[in-house]
Amino acid sequence: METDTITAISTPIGEGAIAIVRLSGPEAISITEQLFKGKSLSEADSHTIHYGKILDPQTQEVAEEVMVTLMRGPKTFTREDVVEINCHGGMVAVNRVLEIILSKGARLAEPGEFTKRAFLHGRIDLSQAEAVMDLIRAKTDKAMSVALKQMDGRLSGLIQTLRQDLLETVAHVEVNIDYPEYDDVEEMSNEVMRDKTKEVHREIDNLLQVAKQGKILREGLATAIIGRPNVGKSSLMNALVQENKAIVTEIPGTTRDIIEEYVNVRGVPLRLVDTAGIRETEDIVEKIGVERSRKVLKESDLILFVLNHNEELSEEDEKLFEAIQGLEYIVIINKTDLEQNLDLNRVKELAEGNPIVTTSLLVEAGIDKLEQAIADTFFSGEIDTGDLTYVSNIRHIQLLKQAKEALEDAMQGLEMEMPLDIVQIDVTRTWEFLGEIIGDTASDSLIDQLFSQFCLGK
Ligand code: GDP
Ligand code: ZN
């Protein structure tokens, strides 16, 4: 199957002064050797670095000064011989080197093909391969660390355990079918099935719970800024955008009036929605009532509710408190540079334990505290503890849901005291769905589709 030698530029195009051309395959070393003026590579030890020059095979002119890293399989990412050519001369030079390598019989790698080889050679499993892809795409520190954890094989490990559990229950049933004369075996099988399916079901549920948080990391927390007119909503949005590097400023396909900004607040990606552009959120409650505005607000992962320190609490403020009850919100008391007319005790009462932060956006005070509160809200709890397994991949989430459904079918079958060999079909389906997450039962076309999404050179 994969016996040719592939090559690609494996550093981001147009970024940095140093670029790396990577080769992988049986000819990686011999192809490089033909072009390389320096130490003999075929005689060099594995995992060594060599300074030298790449010569143009036609003119014998020096094309580029390079550092060549030599790694012999199988102790490499792809498990094949790998050579990395470190070029200093920028993109023009690196493209020339790539061309020369191609002229010597290496093939340009398809997107993700290096990682695909690592997968096919058993170096990494599918969920790890996908994590590599996520890593490449990770826009924020947090998303990055989630991807890293997954690459660690945490998710794979857990999935494997669950599959093993299911396999054991199936084995029990097989015993039962083979020896139907033993009544106690049947009873035992039934009990084992009941216990194990419940246990696995709970684990899958847990994974799906954290999956929601993984998704948030990727897409950003949908964050709504609400409050009466003039309290400082737009000022707050501007402050957050100025303080924190905006990740993306323009999202194609968004309505002209909706202003969305992506900011990274201490590792928490926020998708800020300034409601002012469409309709002042303060009007929502009046226009459509508490129940329906609640529904609208519920679509937010986080609500920043701004109050005016300078004014008394109004009926509108109280209604907004009512509308966000039970949702994730932070109260921001703004304009602390002005005289206090707001009843703080009443605000505390209404906030029901949600964080309250005071700011003066005019003089840029309190923004730090607000950022800390935002980070705390989402990372103090489950998300930041190092030992949770995160599911952050849409495909994984779908497979987990399918596995859960199949398992529920099995559980229902047990409840209805259906024959175990029937129940077993659903257990096997569960096992297969879980297997697809780590690539055990994934079909070739699925694998091809997945790897084609990778960046070139990875
Ligand atoms: P929005 O209607 O809620 O979006 O409020 P804006 O952000 O447009 O602010 C309304 C007015 O309040 C503007 O004139 C701001 O300059 C002013 N403002 C915002 N924050 C503060 C603050 O902390 N102190 C004072 N004194 N004025 C502020
Ligand atoms: Zn505004």
Side-chain angles (χ1 to χ4, degrees):
M1 33 173 236
E2 317 266 348
T3 47
D4 59 349
T5 297
I6 53 172
T7 185
I9 298 169
S10 64
T11 38
I13 304 292
E15 275 175 40
I18 294 174
I20 295 170
V21 180
R22 185 194 272 171
L23 293 91
S24 179
E27 307 289 317
I29 294 169
S30 63
I31 288 175
T32 312
E33 176 133 61
Q34 290 173 51
L35 316 162
F36 183 70
K37 190 166 170 247
K39 192 183 163 116
S40 163
L41 295 178
S42 54
E43 283 161 26
D45 288 337
S46 183
H47 292 78
T48 51
I49 301 178
H50 309 276
Y51 169 80
K53 288 164 179 131
I54 296 286
L55 300 182
D56 187 319
Q58 247 127 55
T59 62
Q60 291 301 309
E61 273 171 28
V62 175
E64 173 69 342
E65 263 184 78
V66 294
M67 301 286 285
V68 169
T69 308
L70 185 103
M71 292 164 280
R72 292 181 205 280
K75 279 190 179 166
T76 65
F77 181 57
T78 57
R79 289 209 160 147
E80 302 172 332
D81 287 351
V82 170
V83 173
E84 287 182 359
I85 305 176
N86 219 303
C87 310
H88 307 102
M91 282 321 292
V92 178
V94 88
N95 273 319
R96 197 156 160 222
V97 170
L98 181 67
E99 264 171 45
I100 294 172
I101 290 167
L102 290 170
S103 77
K104 286 291 167 193
R107 174 172 62 76
L108 191 63
E110 288 162 23
E113 200 172 358
F114 289 98
T115 312
K116 183 181 178 180
R117 286 191 175 189
F119 167 70
L120 291 172
H121 295 154
R123 171 75 170 69
I124 55 176
D125 72 31
L126 195 53
S127 79
Q128 290 173 308
E130 285 175 300
V132 174
M133 182 167 73
D134 286 344
L135 196 62
I136 296 162
R137 290 181 179 161
K139 284 194 185 122
T140 70
D141 306 342
K142 281 295 169 190
M144 177 87 88
S145 79
V146 169
L148 278 172
K149 269 181 203 128
Q150 194 177 326
M151 205 158 69
D152 246 347
R154 278 168 207 261
L155 177 63
S156 319
L158 186 58
I159 297 282
Q160 264 154 10
T161 310
L162 296 181
R163 292 186 88 215
Q164 190 56 37
D165 282 353
L166 293 174
L167 213 57
E168 277 167 23
T169 68
V170 172
H172 263 280
V173 176
E174 292 297 332
V175 171
N176 183 40
I177 290 167
D178 291 346
Y179 304 96
E181 61 272 22
Y182 297 118
D183 274 4
D184 55 333
V185 174
E186 163 142 23
E187 226 158 78
M188 198 169 71
S189 293
N190 232 314
E191 208 169 291
V192 167
M193 270 255 192
R194 240 176 259 272
D195 288 354
K196 282 288 175 195
T197 49
K198 237 185 236 161
E199 206 179 300
V200 174
H201 188 265
R202 198 180 49 236
E203 291 286 348
I204 293 177
D205 243 1
N206 281 344
L207 281 173
L208 281 168
Q209 288 283 319
V210 288
K212 194 175 167 252
Q213 291 158 338
K215 188 163 166 282
I216 285 166
L217 288 176
R218 189 159 321 257
E219 292 172 4
L221 295 173
T223 307
I225 303 176
I226 66 166
R228 284 189 288 122
N230 249 13
V231 291
K233 295 184 297 297
S234 303
S235 309
L236 175 61
M237 176 135 171
N238 290 339
L240 287 172
V241 171
Q242 269 162 31
E243 283 266 314
N244 304 283
K245 205 179 120 214
I247 301 170
V248 184
T249 44
E250 248 179 298
I251 314 297
T254 50
T255 336
R256 183 174 46 91
D257 294 334
I258 308 173
I259 307 161
E260 268 194 345
E261 293 274 4
Y262 280 73
V263 296
N264 180 352
V265 174
R266 305 194 180 184
V268 189
L270 299 186
R271 182 159 44 91
L272 289 174
V273 184
D274 184 13
T275 49
I278 8 165
R279 58 195 160 197
E280 295 275 319
T281 320
E282 57 273 13
D283 295 340
I284 290 189
V285 177
E286 247 168 49
K287 269 190 201 142
I288 62 179
V290 169
E291 260 327 294
R292 281 187 58 203
S293 53
R294 227 188 111 72
K295 248 189 183 163
V296 173
L297 291 170
K298 240 182 143 168
E299 279 159 27
S300 311
D301 299 307
L302 174 65
I303 292 158
L304 303 178
F305 178 21
V306 189
L307 292 171
N308 189 340
H309 179 258
N310 188 230
E311 289 174 12
E312 283 178 34
L313 208 64
S314 72
E315 202 183 317
E316 278 175 273
D317 292 327
E318 301 240 5
K319 271 190 193 155
L320 280 171
F321 264 117
E322 206 181 315
I324 60 178
Q325 200 182 26
L327 304 178
E328 201 86 49
Y329 67 89
I330 296 172
V331 177
I332 296 145
I333 299 174
N334 187 39
K335 307 202 185 186
T336 51
D337 56 294
L338 301 177
E339 191 191 319
Q340 178 182 347
N341 291 310
L342 192 71
D343 181 351
L344 277 183
N345 284 329
R346 178 72 184 135
V347 171
K348 264 183 209 151
E349 228 171 85
L350 288 165
E352 293 180 326
N354 281 282
I356 301 171
V357 179
T358 52
T359 62
S360 169
L361 294 169
L362 188 73
V363 300
E364 295 179 8
I367 299 168
D368 259 19
K369 275 181 297 167
L370 173 60
E371 290 183 359
Q372 194 53 50
I374 291 171
D376 286 349
T377 304
F378 281 91
F379 290 128
S380 64
E382 310 99 306
I383 274 198
D384 212 19
T385 61
D387 43 43
L388 261 182
T389 302
Y390 301 115
V391 184
S392 54
N393 181 298
I394 300 296
R395 193 183 71 86
H396 294 169
I397 292 169
Q398 262 157 9
L399 285 167
L400 281 172
K401 280 185 182 155
Q402 284 173 298
K404 187 180 158 187
E405 271 166 30
L407 196 58
E408 279 163 3
D409 288 346
M411 290 162 86
Q412 201 185 357
L414 285 168
E415 213 56 56
M416 292 163 65
E417 296 184 12
M418 287 192 357
L420 284 184
D421 51 342
I422 303 285
V423 174
Q424 188 194 320
I425 296 170
D426 290 322
V427 175
T428 308
R429 273 173 58 225
T430 310
W431 181 81
E432 281 170 356
F433 283 131
L434 291 177
E436 271 187 55
I437 294 174
I438 53 176
D440 251 19
T441 48
S443 66
D444 275 355
S445 64
L446 173 68
I447 291 165
D448 286 343
Q449 191 201 334
L450 280 167
F451 284 101
S452 68
Q453 293 173 35
F454 282 73
C455 296
L456 216 70
K458 296 289 171 186

